[in-house]
Structures are given as C-alpha cells and as structure tokens.
Amino acid sequence: MSSPALTNLMHETRRFDPPAELAEHANVTADAYGSATQDRLAYWEEQAGRLTWAEPFTRVLDWDDPPFAKWYVGGKLNAAYNCLDRHVEAGLGDRIAYHWVGEPENDTRDITYAELTDEVCRAANALLELGVRTGDRVAIYMPMIPETVVAMLACARIGAPHTVVFGGFSSTALQDRILDCDARIVITADGGYRRGIPSALKPAVDEALKSCPDVRNVVVVRRTGQQIEWNEGRDLWWHEVVGKQSSEHECEAFDAEHPLYVMYTSGTTGKPKGILHTTGGYLVGCSWTQWAVFDLKPDIDVYWTAADIGWVTGHSYIVYGPLSNATTSVMYEGTPDAPHKGRWWEIVEKYEVSILYCAPTAIRTFMKWGAEIPQKFDLSSLRLIGSVGEPINPEAYMWYRETIGGDRCPVVDTWWQTETGMIMITPLPGVTSGKPGSAMTPLPGVCAAVVDDSGKPVQKGSGGYLVLTEPWPAMLRTIWGDDQRYVDTYWSRFPGVYFAGDGAKLDEDGDIWLLGRVDDVMNVSGHRLSTTEIESALVSHPKVAEAAVVGANDPDTGQAVNAFVILRESAADEGAGAEIVTELRDHVAKEIGPIAKPKSIMVVLELPKTRSGKIMRRLLRDVAEKREVGDVTTLADSSVMDLISANLAGGKQED
Ligand code: WT7
C-alpha cells in the first residue's frame, strides 16, 4: 500500500525547530494542544468566536446521530458577511483583499474589501433577479478571475449553495455535476488565459447543457473577448446583468448547518461524490486554521495560495479562510511558466508575498527548471511556506526550504482532504518542529490515529491506515443526495471512526507520515483521480473491450495515470499503433478532462486477473513502475504477466 521510496526516506531524521522570533509572537502557543485535549468542544467553542454570529449557538456539537454531525447548533450567520461586510464596518474597507494577477503581463487588478463587498452585493441582487432562491444550487465554471470569488460569495450571501467545477474538466464532467446537484443557473466566462492562449469555457457549457433541460440561465463573464455562440434568452452577460444592480444588499443570516457548497471529488467508483459543506463549522474551521497554521498577521502579511479555486484548496485557502480573516491575498490566473519560468517568483517579489502555499508537484517542477530561476528574484519577503495535496518527498521539501525559503522559513506540510474542509495534520510553525516528509501531528482539537487492519492503534514505528477519531467543525456533512454512500465510504471500514483512505506510519516520536492512498484513487499533481472513472471512460470508447488503470510513481507528478487496454477484435485488426493511443488519450480528455489523460497506454491481449475475475492492479503497477513483477500465484493464468512484460519490451508503451 505504501511506496517503498517514501518508507525508506523516513529514516532521514532531519528536524527543524521553530525560529525563536516566530515562536515569540506566534498566534497559537504550545498550551493549545493541552487545552484542546482537556476539553475539545470548549476549544472549538472558543474558535467560533472568530466569526460574527447573528444569533449565538446553543450547543457546540450535536453528535447524537453519528455519523451525521451538527456543529454550532442553533447559531445563525452569513458567510459572505463574515468575509466582507464586517471588515468594511470595522474600517478595513480600503484594505486589499486580492492582488489579482492575470496571466497576460500587466493585466492586474487590486481589489479592496469595500469594492469586493459592493460587487458581491450586485451579483447577489442579480441572482435574486434571476429567480435564485435560498437553497437553490448554482454551478460555477470559471477561470481564475475575481468574478469567480464574487460569484461564490454572492451565492453564499443569498444561501444558494454553489458547486464550482474546475475549468479543466470536460463538458461531460460538468454535465454530470450539474445534473447530480440539479443546478438551475450556470456562471461561466467566455474563456481564460493559459500559457498565453485564451482557453474556451463557454463551448463546454453549451455542450453540457444539451442534456440539462432544467438550467434556465447562463451568466457569462467577458474575460478574453473571443467569439462564442449565444443562446438568446438563456445566456446573459455578467457585466449587463450584474452591472446594472444596486450595491445595496441586506444579507440574511442562515442556520449554521445551512449548505454552503458542494464540491465534487473522485471516489473509488466511477461516480464522483458531491461533498457537502455547511456554513458555521466550515467557516470556523477554515478561518481558524488559516490563522493558526500560517501564523497569519492579517495587517502585515501578503498571503498566496497558488492553487485553482476549482479545488477545495482554493475554496478554503483562497476564498473562505483568507477573507474571513481580512487577509490580503494574491490570486494568479495562469500557469507558472507563462510567459517565463520565473513568473511565480516575479509575483512574490512584486507583491512582497510573505506566506506561500502550494503543491509538491509545483515544487518538483521548479526543481527541474533549476534554482537559478528563483535565485534571480528577491524572495526575502517570504517568512513561511506551505505544502499541500500529496506527500512531499524530503528532497523536494529541502529544496523548497533552502531555495525558496532561504533556509529561514518554516515549511508546513499540511494534510487534509476535500472532505475534511480544513487542514487537519500539520506542524504549527511557531510551536512544533518540522521534519522533511512528515505532516507531524493533528492540530489542536483534531483527533487522528493510525490503525491496523482490525482498527487497533499501531505502535510507534509501524504503519497502517489513517483515521479521524472525533468529528471536527469543517467535516463534510454527507455526500449530496446519498447519505448511505457517506456512511459506507467513510464510517464503515472501522466502525465509529472516519476512514480517510490514506496509508500512514507513526515514527518513533509518534509523528505521522502520510504514504498515499490505499484505495483505487490516484493522486496526480495533487489532484484526485479515480482509477475506475478512467477505466469507464476508456471502455466507453467503441474500440475498447476492457481497460485497467493504475497510478504509478512518477518523479514529476507524484503519481501518473497508466492504462492497459484490450481492444475489440475489429479494432485490434487495425493494429495497436500510436494512433489508437492518441485517440484513447483524447477520448479520456473529452470524457473527464485533460488532467485525467493517461500518461501511458499499453495495448495488451489480456489483463492479469484472479480466479474470481478481479484485476490485479498490483502487478500492473509493477509493470508501470518497471519493477520485477511480484507474486503471481493468485492469477488465474500466470502466463499473462509474461505476455504483458514481453509486450512492454516490444516498445508499445507511449510516454
Ligand atoms: C488526498 C486528498 C487537501 C487539499 C488538496 C487535495 C492527499 C493531501 C497531503 C499531504 C500527503 C496528502 C491524501 C488525501 N494529501 N495533502 N500533506 N501529505 N498526502 O484534496 O483532492 O481531496 O485529496 O490528498 O491522499 O487523502 P483532495
């Protein structure tokens, strides 16, 4: 279940203690761990004090009907008010909420809290005019532009849960999500910029909506000015429908458990799961963790989460966490190499970014490009750097720490998930030490354990499964429309505790090392992809009879998608050349999105199966990782692996 490379590296025992000056002024002190352990609910009650409640809650947690939790019972609040109005009321209207950086050079915008509040009020009024009511779902399919944040907060303001679909997903994926949560309004843009080229978004929406009869309106932001098709009556320009509204909007307070958003993520079956987050607990969780983990000083820090808003990292640490704390953030539209490979460092230098949060895959890419690129820029404003989304290998950690962090910035390796909503396991930079490759310990108020097959906690020095043993405020409340799947997926593997799906190891100090997924979920560049979902996409192609997908270790992307396919007889006759491989890769891009494209596709005559017909992915992973193939004794036909290996030697694999 774990990658041997990672396990071996655990023996490297470097350790970095908190820098003295950071420790002295840290937001959270060491006694937080003790007080949270002593009275966990009192601890979470105290953290809720960060927010402004229209009506106070009467009970911190209702866990009477597990695993269905209610946090801050009876409390009422508005998420948008907490992210915007209250800061303006407190005199912070002129503070910059976002230094927005478009991908084309010099295409920038600084947006203050007062401006953002006005814009969100206008958009909220526009949604109301379009008939959106409390509880209605709104789909958002956007590039990384300020209007994306405005759209999300406008939804939150009127109590309409949003579902943001990553702009890199295909029309089919968008359609599935719109249908699953029954969204009636879609907010999109004509396109966005990626590597200098305007990418199109509206055509994918048009395509998706061919089978979504209940969508009434599409609101389109003009970002690139490219030609797009227009569906009269259905399509509306954002600048027209939002532009004409008043910037006055009195917001309503919603129940703490009112749905805030649905975020889809891949599971072990083909159907993505709509993870439901609600208002009070989620906002307390994001707000407190962003402040605690990044030791945020909102009046001096410039904070940058370099992720896309289409993923949970963007929801929690570009939008809800930072805004609820009145943070000044950077938001960047494009890729790190546009128009040159120093773009990120140019941004850090220009805006004097003090806190940077990104994924190991980006760090490994920068390593490959060479230290001389960041070294050309002044990165001395940085004081703290973070990592998220996948295990960070110690080599990348050290490079990040030394080359980007100048050997002075603590690195926070933060473990969490779409489902957890907030950071769960991480060092606290002013309090705890960090070790390259370890996410260290659960935050105060968070309870995690590593357990063996029978659910018993493992000894120090041993590995097992990561579980969360107590509910936490930002936890998912269910899977949209499927309570049973929520129970089965997370709360049934080990009764009474949350099963995260990750392998983990406890070291001799009791610190936690995450070792990757233990289920059929891959992690490619910090994005979660399901092997089954990609297999279904491949099999939906008329030329494919059978498919098996595995995630193999990859030096750049952490894991890479490797597919093995058996062609239908008719197609097999045409040969198994490069064309079919290209065709299948494009097909997966069309069905799911370019991120799901297999790195390699091997055409094979048979797949390794057990006598009961289960595909032995372990053996395929051996092939993909170019290892000696492991134990084949449970195979129905042990000669299959010889065949596949011979096939590989014949060079039919395409990288
Ligand atoms: C999965 C969750 C958390 C937001 C982005 C990804 C892996 C996440 C770490 C880390 C090792 C990590 C896990 C987890 N993961 N952070 N610091 N160290 N693994 O969210 O798409 O819901 O994926 O990402 O495998 O289960 P996600």
Side-chain angles (χ1 to χ4, degrees), residues 418-475:
T418 305
E419 292 86 341
T420 68
M422 64 182 219
I423 296 170
M424 302 291 281
I425 305 177
T426 175
L428 267 180
V431 180
T432 49
S433 307
K435 294 177 194 168
S438 169
M440 306 302 283
T441 50
L443 279 170
V446 171
C447 303
V450 180
V451 300
D452 64 18
D453 260 316
S454 63
K456 277 208 284 303
V458 301
Q459 300 292 316
K460 286 180 182 168
S462 306
Y465 305 95
L466 180 72
V467 296
L468 302 169
T469 54
E470 294 290 348
W472 62 100
M475 67 193 278

Coordinates of all heavy atoms in Angstrom, one line a residue, residues 418-475:
T418 N -10.7 17.1 0.6 CA -11.9 17.8 0.2 C -12.9 17.6 1.4 O -13.7 18.5 1.8 CB -12.5 17.2 -1.1 OG1 -11.5 17.3 -2.1 CG2 -13.7 17.9 -1.5
E419 N -13.0 16.4 1.9 CA -13.9 16.0 2.9 C -13.7 16.7 4.2 O -14.6 17.0 5.0 CB -13.9 14.5 3.1 CG -14.4 13.6 2.0 CD -13.3 13.3 1.0 OE1 -12.3 14.0 0.9 OE2 -13.5 12.3 0.2
T420 N -12.4 16.9 4.6 CA -12.2 17.5 5.9 C -12.4 19.0 5.9 O -12.6 19.6 6.9 CB -10.7 17.2 6.4 OG1 -9.8 17.9 5.6 CG2 -10.4 15.7 6.4
G421 N -12.4 19.6 4.7 CA -12.7 21.0 4.6 C -11.6 22.0 5.1 O -11.5 23.1 4.6
M422 N -10.8 21.5 6.0 CA -9.8 22.3 6.7 C -8.5 21.5 6.9 O -8.6 20.2 6.9 CB -10.3 22.9 8.0 CG -10.5 21.7 9.0 SD -11.2 22.4 10.6 CE -10.3 21.3 11.7
I423 N -7.4 22.1 7.1 CA -6.2 21.5 7.4 C -6.3 20.7 8.7 O -6.9 21.2 9.7 CB -5.0 22.5 7.5 CG1 -4.8 23.2 6.2 CG2 -3.7 21.8 8.1 CD1 -3.8 24.4 6.2
M424 N -5.8 19.5 8.7 CA -6.0 18.6 9.9 C -4.7 18.2 10.6 O -4.6 18.2 11.8 CB -6.7 17.3 9.5 CG -8.1 17.5 8.8 SD -9.3 18.1 9.9 CE -9.8 16.6 10.8
I425 N -3.7 17.8 9.8 CA -2.4 17.4 10.3 C -1.3 18.2 9.7 O -1.2 18.4 8.5 CB -2.2 15.9 10.0 CG1 -3.3 15.0 10.4 CG2 -0.9 15.4 10.6 CD1 -3.2 13.5 10.0
T426 N -0.6 18.9 10.6 CA 0.4 19.8 10.2 C 1.3 20.3 11.4 O 0.8 20.2 12.5 CB -0.2 21.1 9.6 OG1 0.8 22.1 9.2 CG2 -1.2 21.7 10.5
P427 N 2.5 20.7 11.1 CA 3.2 21.4 12.2 C 2.5 22.7 12.4 O 2.0 23.3 11.5 CB 4.6 21.5 11.7 CG 4.7 21.1 10.3 CD 3.3 20.6 9.9
L428 N 2.6 23.3 13.6 CA 2.3 24.6 13.9 C 3.6 25.4 13.9 O 4.4 25.2 14.8 CB 1.6 24.8 15.2 CG 0.0 24.7 15.3 CD1 -0.5 24.8 16.7 CD2 -0.6 25.7 14.4
P429 N 3.8 26.3 13.0 CA 5.1 26.9 12.7 C 5.8 27.5 13.9 O 7.0 27.5 14.0 CB 4.9 27.8 11.6 CG 3.4 28.2 11.6 CD 2.8 27.0 12.2
G430 N 5.1 28.1 14.8 CA 5.7 28.8 15.9 C 5.8 27.8 17.2 O 6.4 28.2 18.2
V431 N 5.3 26.6 17.0 CA 5.2 25.8 18.2 C 5.9 24.4 18.0 O 6.8 24.0 18.8 CB 3.7 25.5 18.5 CG1 3.6 24.6 19.8 CG2 3.0 26.8 18.8
T432 N 5.6 23.8 16.9 CA 6.2 22.4 16.7 C 7.3 22.4 15.7 O 7.4 23.3 14.8 CB 5.1 21.4 16.3 OG1 4.4 22.0 15.2 CG2 4.1 21.1 17.4
S433 N 8.1 21.4 15.7 CA 9.1 21.2 14.7 C 8.6 20.6 13.5 O 7.5 20.1 13.4 CB 10.2 20.3 15.3 OG 10.6 20.7 16.6
G434 N 9.4 20.7 12.4 CA 9.0 20.1 11.1 C 10.1 19.1 10.8 O 11.3 19.2 11.1
K435 N 9.7 18.0 10.1 CA 10.7 17.0 9.5 C 10.3 16.9 8.1 O 9.2 16.7 7.7 CB 10.5 15.7 10.2 CG 10.8 15.6 11.7 CD 10.4 14.2 12.1 CE 10.4 14.1 13.7 NZ 9.8 12.9 14.1
P436 N 11.3 16.9 7.2 CA 11.1 16.7 5.8 C 10.3 15.4 5.5 O 10.9 14.4 5.7 CB 12.5 16.7 5.1 CG 13.3 17.3 6.2 CD 12.8 17.0 7.5
G437 N 9.1 15.5 5.0 CA 8.4 14.3 4.6 C 7.3 13.9 5.6 O 6.5 13.1 5.3
S438 N 7.2 14.6 6.7 CA 6.2 14.3 7.7 C 5.2 15.4 7.9 O 5.7 16.6 8.0 CB 6.8 13.9 9.1 OG 5.8 13.8 10.1
A439 N 3.9 15.1 8.0 CA 2.9 16.2 8.3 C 2.8 16.4 9.8 O 2.1 17.2 10.3 CB 1.6 15.8 7.7
M440 N 3.6 15.6 10.6 CA 3.7 15.7 12.0 C 2.5 15.3 12.8 O 2.2 14.2 12.9 CB 4.2 17.1 12.4 CG 5.5 17.6 11.7 SD 6.9 16.4 11.9 CE 7.4 16.9 13.6
T441 N 1.8 16.3 13.4 CA 0.7 15.9 14.3 C -0.6 16.6 14.0 O -0.6 17.7 13.4 CB 1.2 16.3 15.8 OG1 1.6 17.6 15.8 CG2 2.3 15.4 16.3
P442 N -1.7 16.0 14.5 CA -3.0 16.7 14.3 C -3.0 18.0 15.0 O -2.4 18.2 16.1 CB -4.0 15.7 15.0 CG -3.3 14.4 15.2 CD -1.8 14.7 15.2
L443 N -3.8 19.0 14.4 CA -3.9 20.3 15.1 C -4.6 20.1 16.4 O -5.4 19.2 16.6 CB -4.7 21.2 14.1 CG -4.0 21.8 13.0 CD1 -5.0 22.4 12.0 CD2 -3.0 22.8 13.5
P444 N -4.5 21.1 17.3 CA -5.3 21.1 18.5 C -6.8 21.0 18.1 O -7.2 21.6 17.2 CB -5.0 22.5 19.1 CG -3.7 22.9 18.6 CD -3.6 22.3 17.2
G445 N -7.5 20.1 18.8 CA -8.9 20.0 18.5 C -9.2 18.9 17.4 O -10.4 18.6 17.2
V446 N -8.1 18.4 16.8 CA -8.3 17.3 15.8 C -7.8 16.0 16.4 O -6.7 16.0 17.0 CB -7.5 17.7 14.5 CG1 -7.5 16.6 13.5 CG2 -8.1 19.0 13.9
C447 N -8.5 14.9 16.2 CA -8.1 13.7 16.7 C -7.9 12.7 15.6 O -8.8 12.3 14.9 CB -9.1 13.1 17.7 SG -9.4 14.3 19.1
A448 N -6.6 12.2 15.4 CA -6.3 11.3 14.4 C -5.6 10.1 15.0 O -5.0 10.2 16.1 CB -5.5 11.9 13.3
A449 N -5.6 9.0 14.3 CA -4.9 7.8 14.7 C -4.4 7.0 13.5 O -5.0 7.1 12.4 CB -5.7 6.9 15.7
V450 N -3.4 6.2 13.7 CA -3.0 5.2 12.7 C -3.4 3.8 13.2 O -3.0 3.5 14.3 CB -1.5 5.3 12.3 CG1 -1.1 4.3 11.3 CG2 -1.1 6.7 11.9
V451 N -4.2 3.1 12.5 CA -4.7 1.8 13.0 C -4.3 0.7 12.0 O -4.1 0.9 10.9 CB -6.3 1.9 13.2 CG1 -6.7 3.0 14.2 CG2 -7.0 2.1 11.9
D452 N -4.3 -0.5 12.6 CA -4.1 -1.7 11.8 C -5.4 -2.2 11.2 O -6.4 -1.6 11.3 CB -3.3 -2.8 12.6 CG -4.2 -3.3 13.7 OD1 -5.4 -3.1 13.7 OD2 -3.6 -3.9 14.6
D453 N -5.3 -3.4 10.5 CA -6.4 -3.9 9.8 C -7.7 -4.1 10.7 O -8.8 -4.0 10.2 CB -6.0 -5.3 9.2 CG -5.7 -5.2 7.7 OD1 -6.5 -4.5 7.1 OD2 -4.7 -5.8 7.3
S454 N -7.4 -4.4 12.0 CA -8.5 -4.6 12.8 C -9.0 -3.4 13.5 O -9.9 -3.4 14.4 CB -8.1 -5.7 13.9 OG -7.1 -5.2 14.7
G455 N -8.4 -2.2 13.2 CA -8.8 -1.0 13.8 C -8.1 -0.6 15.1 O -8.4 0.4 15.7
K456 N -7.1 -1.4 15.5 CA -6.3 -1.1 16.7 C -5.2 -0.1 16.4 O -4.5 -0.3 15.4 CB -5.8 -2.4 17.3 CG -6.8 -3.1 18.1 CD -6.1 -4.0 19.2 CE -5.5 -5.2 18.7 NZ -6.3 -6.2 18.0
P457 N -5.0 0.9 17.2 CA -3.9 1.8 17.0 C -2.6 1.1 16.9 O -2.3 0.2 17.7 CB -3.9 2.7 18.2 CG -5.3 2.6 18.7 CD -5.8 1.3 18.4
V458 N -1.7 1.5 16.0 CA -0.4 0.8 15.8 C 0.6 1.4 16.8 O 0.4 2.5 17.3 CB 0.1 0.9 14.4 CG1 -0.8 0.3 13.4 CG2 0.4 2.4 14.0
Q459 N 1.6 0.6 17.0 CA 2.7 1.1 17.9 C 3.6 2.1 17.1 O 3.6 2.1 15.9 CB 3.7 -0.1 18.2 CG 3.0 -1.2 18.9 CD 2.6 -0.8 20.3 OE1 3.4 -0.2 21.0 NE2 1.4 -1.2 20.7
K460 N 4.3 2.9 17.8 CA 5.3 3.8 17.2 C 6.2 2.9 16.3 O 6.6 1.8 16.7 CB 6.1 4.5 18.2 CG 5.3 5.6 18.9 CD 6.1 6.4 19.9 CE 5.2 7.4 20.6 NZ 5.8 8.0 21.7
G461 N 6.5 3.5 15.1 CA 7.4 2.7 14.2 C 6.7 1.8 13.3 O 7.3 1.2 12.4
S462 N 5.3 1.8 13.4 CA 4.6 0.9 12.5 C 3.6 1.7 11.6 O 3.3 2.9 11.9 CB 3.7 -0.1 13.3 OG 4.5 -0.8 14.2
G463 N 3.1 1.0 10.6 CA 2.2 1.6 9.6 C 0.8 1.1 9.7 O 0.6 0.0 10.3
G464 N -0.1 1.7 9.0 CA -1.5 1.3 9.0 C -2.3 2.3 8.2 O -1.9 2.9 7.2
Y465 N -3.6 2.5 8.7 CA -4.5 3.4 8.0 C -4.7 4.6 8.8 O -4.9 4.5 10.1 CB -5.8 2.6 7.8 CG -5.7 1.3 7.1 CD1 -5.6 0.1 7.8 CD2 -5.7 1.3 5.7 CE1 -5.5 -1.1 7.1 CE2 -5.5 0.1 5.0 CZ -5.5 -1.1 5.7 OH -5.3 -2.3 5.1
L466 N -4.9 5.7 8.2 CA -5.2 7.0 8.9 C -6.7 7.1 9.2 O -7.5 6.9 8.2 CB -4.7 8.2 8.1 CG -5.0 9.5 8.8 CD1 -4.0 9.7 10.0 CD2 -4.8 10.6 7.8
V467 N -7.0 7.3 10.4 CA -8.4 7.5 10.7 C -8.6 8.8 11.6 O -7.6 9.2 12.2 CB -9.1 6.3 11.5 CG1 -9.1 5.1 10.7 CG2 -8.3 6.1 12.8
L468 N -9.7 9.4 11.5 CA -10.0 10.6 12.4 C -11.0 10.1 13.4 O -12.1 9.6 13.0 CB -10.5 11.7 11.5 CG -9.6 12.1 10.4 CD1 -10.2 13.1 9.4 CD2 -8.3 12.8 11.0
T469 N -10.7 10.2 14.7 CA -11.5 9.6 15.7 C -12.6 10.4 16.3 O -13.3 9.9 17.1 CB -10.5 9.0 16.8 OG1 -9.7 10.1 17.2 CG2 -9.6 7.9 16.2
E470 N -12.6 11.7 16.0 CA -13.6 12.5 16.6 C -14.1 13.5 15.5 O -13.3 13.9 14.6 CB -13.1 13.4 17.7 CG -12.7 12.6 19.0 CD -13.9 12.0 19.8 OE1 -15.0 12.4 19.5 OE2 -13.6 11.2 20.6
P471 N -15.4 13.9 15.5 CA -15.8 14.9 14.5 C -15.1 16.2 14.6 O -14.6 16.5 15.7 CB -17.3 15.0 14.8 CG -17.5 14.4 16.2 CD -16.4 13.5 16.4
W472 N -15.1 17.0 13.6 CA -14.4 18.3 13.6 C -15.3 19.3 12.8 O -16.1 18.9 12.0 CB -13.0 18.2 12.9 CG -13.0 17.8 11.5 CD1 -12.9 18.6 10.4 CD2 -13.2 16.4 11.0 NE1 -13.0 17.8 9.3 CE2 -13.2 16.5 9.6 CE3 -13.4 15.2 11.6 CZ2 -13.4 15.4 8.7 CZ3 -13.6 14.1 10.7 CH2 -13.5 14.2 9.3
P473 N -15.2 20.6 13.1 CA -16.2 21.5 12.6 C -16.4 21.5 11.1 O -17.5 21.6 10.6 CB -15.7 22.9 13.1 CG -14.8 22.6 14.3 CD -14.2 21.2 14.0
A474 N -15.3 21.5 10.3 CA -15.4 21.6 8.9 C -15.6 20.3 8.2 O -15.5 20.2 7.0 CB -14.2 22.3 8.3
M475 N -16.0 19.3 8.9 CA -16.1 18.0 8.3 C -17.3 18.0 7.3 O -18.2 18.8 7.4 CB -16.4 16.9 9.3 CG -17.8 17.1 10.0 SD -17.9 16.1 11.5 CE -18.4 14.5 10.8

